[in-house]
Amino acid sequence: MKTNLIPTMRELHLAGAVSTLEVRLQEAAANRLSHEEFLELLLKDEINIRTDRRVSKRIKAACFAGTKTLEDFNWEFNTSINRKLVFDLASCDFIRKSGDVLFIGPPGVGKSHLAQAIGIQAIKMGLTVYYRSIFDLVRDFLEDEAFAGEDKVLKKYLSCELLIIDDMGLRQLPKRSGEYLFEVIMRRHEKRSTIMTSNRPLDEWGKLIGDVPTAGAILDRFLQNAETVNITGRSHRLKDKAVEKTREKKEGV
């Protein structure tokens, strides 16, 4: 392709439009597009590519455990899930209202998937998201103290518009875990939104963090403006494992 447009477009930082220029020139010639129509298509390409790059960058910065979306969630496996409620949450209106969300239920029923999927939706809407397991959170604060981080970790936990804290209740947490979690929840309360997932009943949180009063203070604040999503049913992971074993038997593995 010979054109004097490319150096000029690169100088204007229109790299996205450069990548689609040849196709658009062919399209313009084939369909006899006007200059205005051609330019509109090219500029839309640039906008779309910039948006995709921005979303990809924010997804990477969010530190998700994996790319989970609502589209690839198996809604038929656990039919007890309130699909309407989940999609209402995915509109991210609760974030604009500084509300919180708690997904609670046994392991493997889809809590983490749905929490991260809502996080992906929030990013697509231009919001900042940060994902950590409860164990990541505790480790981050312990390292911050060990290396005199001067509250750098706390600032990161407070600055995002949506914080996702996953896997509460998998096992008992180290000392001071309740102190760190309380600080985050207290500082974000009615200012920024938080999603938490829990495998254990709320009355067991005191035992998990080794501090019943602190657990009560955490829940008192967090649940004040929180939407609670209870999920019951079988484990996706155990189902997948059973399917794999059945396949292996059939294949004689």
Side-chain angles (χ1 to χ4, degrees), residues 24 27-29 31-41:
R24 292 307 187 190
E27 182 180 358
N31 297 302
R32 298 181 180 181
L33 300 180
S34 67
H35 293 98
E36 182 181 353
E37 289 171 328
F38 167 73
L39 183 59
E40 182 181 2
L41 287 173

Side-chain angles (χ1 to χ4, degrees), residues 215-248:
I218 291 168
L219 290 170
D220 179 63
R221 285 167 174 78
F222 181 69
L223 295 177
Q224 182 179 353
N225 298 312
E227 184 74 58
T228 300
V229 184
N230 288 286
I231 303 178
T232 59
R234 299 172 295 158
S235 167
H236 286 264
R237 288 185 287 273
L238 292 180
K239 179 263 296 182
D240 293 339
K241 188 174 181 180
V243 170
E244 181 64 19
K245 283 186 176 181
T246 301
R247 184 188 66 79
E248 289 177 353

Side-chain angles (χ1 to χ4, degrees), residues 1 18-29 38 42 45:
M1 178 179 61
V18 168
S19 67
T20 63
L21 178 60
E22 183 174 5
V23 172
R24 292 307 187 190
L25 284 170
Q26 293 174 358
E27 182 180 358
F38 167 73
L42 206 59
D45 288 340

Side-chain angles (χ1 to χ4, degrees), residues 156-168:
K156 193 164 188 176
Y157 275 84
L158 299 182
S159 62
C160 58
E161 289 163 293
L162 174 63
L163 173 65
I164 301 173
I165 303 174
D166 202 5
D167 292 333
M168 185 69 182

Side-chain angles (χ1 to χ4, degrees), residues 148-160:
E150 298 180 356
D151 292 331
K152 288 182 180 179
V153 167
L154 182 59
K155 290 177 183 177
K156 193 164 188 176
Y157 275 84
L158 299 182
S159 62
C160 58

